[in-house]
Amino acid sequence: MTNLSATQKNVHSYREQFPALANKAYFNYGGQGPMPQGVMDAMTETQAQIQNIGPFGNEVGRWIGLNVKAAKEAIASDLNVAPTTITLTENVTVGCNIAMWGIEWHSGDHILLSDCEHQGIIAISQEISRRFGVEVTTCPLMDTLNTGDPVEVINQHLRPNTRLVVLSHILWNTGQLLPLDKIAEVCRNNNSQILVDAAQSVGAMPLNLDQLGVDFYAFTGHKWLCGPAGVGGLYVRPQAKASLKPTFVGWRSVILDDRNQPIDWNPDGSQYEVATSDYPLYVGLKEAIAIHQQWGTAEQRYQQICRHSEYLWRKLAALPNVKCLRTSPPECGLVSFQLVNQKPHTTLKLVQFLESERSFIRQIRDPDCVRACVHYFTLESEIDQLVESVQRFSLA
Ligand SMILES: Cc1ncc(COP(=O)(O)O)c(C=O)c1O
């Protein structure tokens, strides 16, 4: 089995900037990433600076405005899009809400989801369905993890009245990376818009959203980007903007005249922003992005993530009582697996056992499995520790 240490030369000193990594083997990046000290310091300093200049006044208002702009520029550089296409949100789910409620629904319209979407997104669809008489159906992508073609499955489930397709770039339960460019093309050919839940992809792989051709891409800073909880974003494709109406509206959404009366929507992504926010979070996210970019390009980070997930996948697959959901090496940092002959509650017990041994992974309910996430700065020794603990549990 390939040894990872050659690719991990400076990683020990790099990891020292993440206090959370000092005392545990961490595999929950898909839940929440650990924050670097520099991110926490940047937020504390920003908070102090706001108090020092303001907290409310013309100068501090201008200063905050510059920081909001800088945060959008940092996010946009990571996604390879123009900063004007970015709306700052609180998390993935708020971004999905903006996209889903902003469409002018008509009774009889159709929403297509995959069968691997997050519960929050399912709940939004159900409420839209109830309120507007929109039909929601689900297509089976879970079964295409190892065989089958997700593009074809989606194609078969599109209808003439499908207004919106909602799916994740990386399926959070099985770790499948979907061929989004091909899926976007199939949707475009059907005149259906596509909203992507990017909870597991932003910060975890190189992205060029304009090239992908998706309409809406909702993400967060607190998972793979290791930024603070409470700030995320939504990309809206320029061609999709005219059809997406703001649902929540406030002073940040509009252009004001000299009597402070709203006269038009802001032309950029701030059209979907509302009002006062916790601005130091934006600075924290910008700092987190800068820290990753200093380590290497998005492509280099992704390659390292894949080396780590393959290493973990191979070690797990070699255990007699463990079954990885994937039958080939993962294409991202998520590795989902089960115990052979597991009973109900086994996965929860495994997660609890591992946490008691200071290894952090999570339980997934559908399919019944556990999920370990590796980042580019995960250690070979962390993976070895996890696998060794899993083995002991599986043999007990
Ligand atoms: C695929 C997916 N979508 C949505 C979410 C919810 O994210 P947030 O709390 O940022 O809205 C998660 C969180 O784990 C997720 O994995």
Side-chain angles (χ1 to χ4, degrees), residues 53-71:
I53 326 177
F56 192 92
N58 289 317
E59 188 189 339
V60 78
R62 269 193 302 278
W63 188 80
I64 288 172
L66 290 176
N67 279 295
V68 170
K69 183 166 173 282

Side-chain angles (χ1 to χ4, degrees), residues 112-117 137-158 166-167 171 173-174 176 178 366:
L112 179 62
L113 302 179
S114 91
D115 59 349
C116 294
E117 299 315 314
T137 63
T138 299
C139 63
L141 291 192
M142 200 186 289
D143 283 349
T144 66
L145 176 62
N146 296 310
T147 52
D149 178 1
V151 185
E152 194 40 43
V153 172
I154 290 163
N155 202 15
Q156 280 165 6
H157 286 78
L158 286 170
V166 187
L167 36 83
L171 303 182
N173 47 5
T174 65
Q176 183 176 1
L178 293 181
D366 185 22

